[in-house]
Amino acid sequence: MTMDDLPELALSVRQPWVWAIIYGGKDIENRSWQAVNHGLKRRGRIAIHAAKGMTRDEYDNTRDFIANIGGEAPAAIDLRRGGIIGSVEVIDVVSKSESPWFFGPRGLVLRDPKPCSFIPAVGQLGYFKWERADPSILPEPAKWMDDGEPFTGRSVKPVEMPLFNPVTQ
């Protein structure tokens, strides 16, 4: 998928949840009522933006959640932040779901994730029109993510794995 193929509207999500949407079988994006209320009528394909921020607690809690339903999140340092990583189709908004990813109070029902080459972009709350940004906006890894090597702006290793579906696996 190229930049020209991506939808103009995006939704920003924090890592590693955004990785789970594109690569890990996450079929629900949980939102508060207020956050979903602005997009209740919105259906169709949207770009998925990886927010710049990710705390150690957010990473650890999400990694543990993914492990508890049978998946495995990549190392924190391997998660791209501050740009578009793919797209997904929003097909519904629900207040209940059998999905192991749902914890509400509302959820955007997602399907057909499609990864793309990483595109730096500035995120916003809610749905927003995104545009390519200068790579200088990309955050360096936090000290807790440090793998002992100096940060060189390297690209994340591609995630070579089948899409995970906790309902069928």
Side-chain angles (χ1 to χ4, degrees):
M1 181 169 274
T2 68
M3 184 172 161
D4 292 335
D5 297 329
L6 288 164
E8 71 176 355
L9 285 182
L11 186 65
S12 190
V13 179
R14 292 174 80 85
Q15 287 283 23
W17 295 116
V18 72
W19 172 87
I21 289 171
I22 299 298
Y23 297 105
K26 185 173 190 272
D27 59 355
I28 297 277
E29 171 53 21
N30 295 285
R31 295 283 157 155
S32 69
W33 171 252
Q34 294 84 1
V36 171
N37 198 31
H38 298 292
L40 280 177
K41 293 183 171 75
R42 173 83 180 116
R43 304 291 188 276
R45 187 156 290 279
I46 59 169
I48 296 294
H49 176 269
K52 288 168 71 172
M54 177 178 66
T55 67
R56 184 177 206 145
D57 283 346
E58 287 172 328
Y59 174 78
D60 289 346
N61 291 337
T62 306
R63 181 200 58 214
D64 292 349
F65 180 92
I66 291 170
N68 284 336
I69 62 171
E72 183 177 350
I77 201 156
D78 292 332
L79 295 168
R80 298 299 304 255
R81 296 176 295 127
I84 303 296
I85 71 160
S87 68
V88 68
E89 188 178 357
V90 176
I91 61 169
D92 203 0
V93 177
V94 296
S95 58
K96 290 189 273 186
S97 173
E98 295 297 317
S99 171
W101 298 99
F102 181 81
F103 47 84
R106 299 286 185 268
L108 302 174
V109 179
L110 311 174
R111 74 171 176 202
D112 193 24
K114 294 184 179 179
C116 70
S117 296
F118 184 82
I119 304 167
V122 176
Q124 297 178 28
L125 294 176
Y127 291 113
F128 65 97
K129 288 187 179 181
W130 69 276
E131 56 185 51
R132 181 183 291 273
D134 188 88
S136 65
I137 67 136
L138 298 178
E140 290 192 13
K143 288 182 183 180
W144 65 266
M145 297 175 194
D146 189 8
D147 60 2
E149 296 181 23
F151 180 68
T152 60
R154 68 178 186 256
S155 294
V156 173
K157 298 178 285 191
V159 179
E160 298 290 336
M161 62 182 289
L163 295 179
F164 171 71
N165 183 342
V167 174
T168 61
Q169 294 179 337

